[in-house]
Amino acid sequence: MSLLALLGVLSSTIFSGTSLLYATLGEVVTERSGTVNLGLEGVLLISAATGYGVTVSTGNPFLGVLAAMLAGGLSNLVFGYLVITRKANQLASGLAVLFFGYGLSALIGKPFVGKLINSLPRYMIPGPGELPLRYTSLFKFDFLIYLVIPMTFFIWWLLYRTRWGLGLRAVGENAETAYASGRNPGMIKFQALFVGGLLAGLGAAHLSIAFTMNWAEYMTGGRGFIAIALVIFSKWHPIRAIAGVLVFSGAVAFQLLLQVSGVNVSPFLLDMIPFILTLTVLLIWGGTRKHSAPATLGRVYQGTE
Amino acid sequence: MSQRIESLPVKSILHHKFFQHAVRYGLTILLALLLFAGILLITGNKPIPSYRDLFSATFGSAYGFSEVIVAMIPILLTALAVALPSRIGMINVGGEGQLYLGAIFATFAALAFKDLPGWLVLPIMGLLGILGGALWAFLPAFFRSIGLVNETITTLLMNMIAPKIAGLLVFGYWHSPRETNMTPNFVDAARLPTFFGTRIHLGIVFGLVLLVLFWFVMKKTRWGLEMRSIGGNVQAARRNGIPIAPYMIIVFCISGGIAGLAGMAQVSGFYGLLIPNFSPGYGYMGFLISWLAGGDPLGILLMAFVVSIILTGGNMLQITIGLPYAVINLLLAFTLFVVLAKPVLPKLLKRKTA
């Protein structure tokens, strides 16, 4: 196997892992406030389609990213209306949003199928500038990739070092107590959902505008569900989410490596590896899980009137 | 968990409940149709002719109506697979994966026992389908019962794995000589019998019988009582000596088996072969149906019927007005939104029926 193939695998792993990390971060923020959005997959689809559509119509990928973020935030607010304002069951509402996303994204994306876009500009990483072109082209990344790790730390700072984050986590642990200490749980949950939606939108934008550079129905291929699993994997912690995404992307990379090196294994078998690995790690960490989940995760806050 | 009070005379409850269901579901659908009409307008279609087409395609002909019943079979079963464990407080989001495993196991039997007569091979397929679904449900149930991992997340992850097993087997070993993405057609003996010259197959009988059985077990047997008590209060049930862990595992495996049977019915009765990714989310639809119906057997039947109309009508809308098929998910989602958002509807209804 050549060095080129190896680097190619590394590069595509970084590309595919980025959208996953954004989506995972978004779900960490929402789940920290006690809301689990099972419809993340649908939100990602809506954002990806919107971002792609705006990029095609305006020719400006940055506007596309912005639109995708906004679409993600708004979709999450729809979910928020159901589970916070109307106090609906979170799992069922999540699945409703999933189907909403399947439908709406197909509708939004339909006029743009097969259209070409200006993808996000890519910048060279400093360092291997001396290498021949076929190597360096693998290490040109768009700004969303450079942004993802700082963003992770920013979210960590937001959750653990600001009053807003403290309030958000307090609501996730016990909304009644948070209310008693003068916070508005409903409003905080909405804010958390909106921020989570913005992040999911960033991930989806990276997927459709920077990585695959096209739109296809159901193009997220289960990333939303994987992100939800990775949130548990990372024990609801933004920094550990990096590790979660690395493990998952590592498994994907391993699968690509096997294919590149010509090992004759069914791609379907290899596709299962990341999921089996995530499942195994969940089981190994299962014993300690209870202590790290937000205490009222998934529960409907009935109000304290 | 809200438990309905069931001490009123049976007959008046039936009438009352049926009426309530009918009005509530009727208004829900009306609102959802109104919302979807907005979408049709935005996309430049005329809602009224579209809806006329939708209803004439589903209710206008015996064939159309039979297609609604055909579409209802898998989701009726997957809804049951969710309703049953919900009675003991377990959430089965894994109907999708269990359905695939049932289909895979049944396909194995259909391909392996080509020469057996139908009266022998069909029961084998059914049993293997149930076994496949039950096995796929066993792991999440086991890990939940020992308090290791919540079944919601494990079943979700296993949903992602199951279609890949189908792909692996079909592309790798089972595909027909001509097409690599599907198995050869099953022999006639491995097909579930169909009725009245339509595509309605024996699966509908499975669904209805299991629905009645579900109602009977929950209402009339000791098991039903014990299960409801686990769902109501685990601590109290444990102190009363009800074995929690065995109940969790057995009930979850049975529900997996029901979803597996749905998969078997789908490959044997509907397709007559196995295609990877054959399910457009039957498992998730089942979850929503069961949830919308509050796990109530009659409600499951009604909601499954409604969702089938949407699915069947969607096929037709795709052909006549050229919207992508996925758009029909919007009509499904709007129906769910209306129910989940509980607009003044229930209150209104109470005033009317009280």
Side-chain angles (χ1 to χ4, degrees), chain A residues 38 78 82 86-89 91-93 95-96 99-100 102-104 106-107 110 217-218 222 225 228-229 232 266 268-269 271-272 275-276 279 282-283 286-287 289-290, chain B residues 39 43 91 143 147-150 153-154 156-158 160-161 164-165 167-168 171 284-285 287-288 291 322-324 326-327 329-330 332-334 336-337 340-343:
Chain A
L38 216 52
V78 171
L82 292 176
R86 309 305 309 181
K87 300 181 175 35
N89 175 291
L91 288 183
S93 306
L95 288 180
F99 284 107
F100 181 62
Y102 283 163
L104 191 61
L107 196 64
K110 197 201 169 209
E217 279 179 35
Y218 307 110
F225 290 114
I228 291 169
I232 302 171
S266 163
F268 291 100
L269 199 62
D271 275 345
M272 289 179 218
F275 296 99
I276 295 171
L279 212 55
L282 280 185
L283 289 177
R289 198 184 65 84
K290 281 186 206 86
Chain B
I39 295 284
T43 53
I91 302 165
F143 291 128
L148 201 56
V149 181
N150 187 304
I153 196 68
T154 40
L156 261 180
L157 277 173
M158 289 173 78
M160 318 300 309
I161 300 175
K164 300 191 166 67
I165 299 181
L168 174 72
F171 279 89
Y284 299 111
M285 288 174 200
F287 181 90
L288 288 165
W291 188 86
L323 285 174
V327 171
N329 284 312
L330 273 180
L332 195 61
F334 286 146
L336 298 165
F337 282 172
L340 287 162
K342 295 167 283 209

Side-chain angles (χ1 to χ4, degrees), chain A residues 228-247:
Chain A
I228 291 169
L230 287 180
V231 171
I232 302 171
F233 182 98
S234 53
K235 299 186 186 176
W236 292 269
H237 196 286
I239 309 242
R240 275 195 291 256
I242 300 177
V245 172
L246 276 181
V247 169

Side-chain angles (χ1 to χ4, degrees), chain B residues 8 24 43 59 70-71 80-81 88 93 126 145 163 177 222 237 245 276 287 292 297 346 349-350:
Chain B
L8 293 164
R24 174 145 44 97
T43 53
F59 289 107
V70 172
L80 262 176
I88 59 167
V93 206
S145 72
R222 180 202 161 111
F287 181 90
L292 291 174
L349 191 69
K350 257 172 214 154

